[in-house]
Amino acid sequence: MDIVLYTQRVEIVESYKERRDCGDQMIPKFLHACGYLPVPIPNLLYIAEKIIEKLEPVGIVLTGGNSLVKYGGKAPERDETEKRLLDIAMEREIPIYGFCRGMEVILDYFGCPLEEVKGHVALYHKIQGKMGQREVNSFHNQGCFEVKGPLEVLAFTKDGVIESVACKEKNIFATMWHPEREKEFSMEDIKRIQILFKKGGFL
C-alpha cells in the first residue's frame, strides 16, 4: 500500500507547557478509504524532510486547523513546515492535496490574499464551477475571492468565495471543505484523491 503523508494541527496546552501535534482520526480513516497508508508528519521541519526522504510518499495532504500566523494563528512551526513541504513536493513532483487550512496555505504560497468571511462555519452550502454543482460542508472564517496564476479556480459559492483550486502543472489540488467530516465519505472526493496521487491528474 502506497504511503501518503498528512500534516497535523498544533494544540497549545499551557498547563503542561506543551505544543502538541494532533489530528482528527477521521483524516487517516479517509485516506485509508482512498487506498493509501496514512502517516502523520510532525511540525518539525528537519524531521519532516527526513521522513519524506525515507518513506518516498506518493502524496502529501495539508490538513485543516490553525490559522496562518499572518492571519492570527499561533503555530509558526506549522506554517514553516507546510511551506517547505510545498517546496519539496514540487521539487520531487509529489502531488499535494490541501483542505480548509491546507487550501489557505496553498493560496498564501502563491500570493493570493485571504479575507474574513461570514456564513461559512458549521454548515453546508452549494458550490459551482468547473467541478460542476454539489453541496459541501464549510468550516472556515477566511476565504479568497481572486487567485493568481498558476492557480486555477475549480469551484466557488454564490457569494464569490473560492472553494477549490488547482495547479495542474505542479499536481496541486485543494478544497475548502473537509472530505473527512462526512458520515459517509463522498466517492467523488475519493476518486479525485486517487486520480491525483496515482496519476498526477484531475477529475
Side-chain angles (χ1 to χ4, degrees):
M1 185 175 282
D2 290 328
I3 291 173
V4 167
L5 303 179
Y6 67 93
T7 61
Q8 303 177 86
R9 70 170 64 220
V10 176
E11 293 290 344
I12 302 171
V13 185
E14 296 289 357
S15 60
Y16 283 92
K17 300 188 184 312
E18 291 181 355
R19 299 180 69 84
R20 298 177 179 175
D21 289 336
C22 59
D24 187 344
Q25 293 177 359
M26 295 303 291
I27 296 172
K29 187 174 181 179
F30 170 73
L31 294 175
H32 190 264
C34 292
Y36 302 103
L37 180 62
V39 176
I41 195 164
N43 291 297
L44 296 168
L45 183 55
Y46 67 101
I47 295 178
E49 291 176 336
K50 292 180 183 297
I51 288 174
I52 292 174
E53 291 177 7
K54 185 71 174 180
L55 299 186
E56 298 182 346
V58 298
I60 298 173
V61 178
L62 307 181
T63 65
N66 300 127
S67 293
L68 281 79
V69 169
K70 69 188 293 184
Y71 294 107
K74 298 180 180 180
E77 69 270 44
R78 185 175 183 188
D79 290 7
E80 178 186 36
T81 298
E82 292 186 334
K83 181 179 179 181
R84 180 59 182 142
L85 289 178
L86 277 165
D87 288 336
I88 294 172
M90 287 188 282
E91 290 167 5
R92 296 177 173 241
E93 299 184 343
I94 303 171
I96 280 226
Y97 169 58
F99 66 81
C100 201
R101 176 211 153 88
M103 176 164 154
E104 293 175 357
V105 170
I106 290 167
L107 289 167
D108 184 69
Y109 184 92
F110 286 101
C112 306
L114 300 174
E115 301 177 27
E116 291 294 318
V117 296
K118 295 182 179 180
H120 284 262
V121 178
L123 51 77
Y124 279 81
H125 55 196
K126 293 181 180 179
I127 60 170
Q128 58 186 317
K130 294 182 179 180
M131 294 175 69
Q133 296 186 2
R134 62 179 288 197
E135 190 172 69
V136 298
N137 62 52
S138 185
F139 294 92
H140 59 97
N141 290 302
Q142 294 157 336
C144 179
F145 291 88
E146 185 176 359
V147 302
K148 301 177 182 179
L151 293 182
E152 172 187 0
V153 176
L154 300 183
F156 53 90
T157 55
K158 66 179 181 180
D159 61 354
V161 176
I162 296 169
E163 290 285 318
S164 181
V165 296
C167 177
K168 295 183 179 179
E169 56 265 40
K170 297 296 184 180
N171 295 328
I172 296 173
F173 171 61
T175 65
M176 285 305 296
W177 64 88
H178 288 248
E180 86 286 5
R181 287 188 179 175
E182 299 296 335
K183 291 181 180 179
E184 293 185 11
F185 299 139
S186 165
M187 283 307 301
E188 184 174 344
D189 288 334
I190 288 174
K191 288 179 180 178
R192 287 183 187 280
I193 298 307
Q194 290 174 336
I195 290 173
L196 175 67
F197 290 162
K198 288 182 179 178
K199 303 177 182 178
F202 297 84
L203 180 62

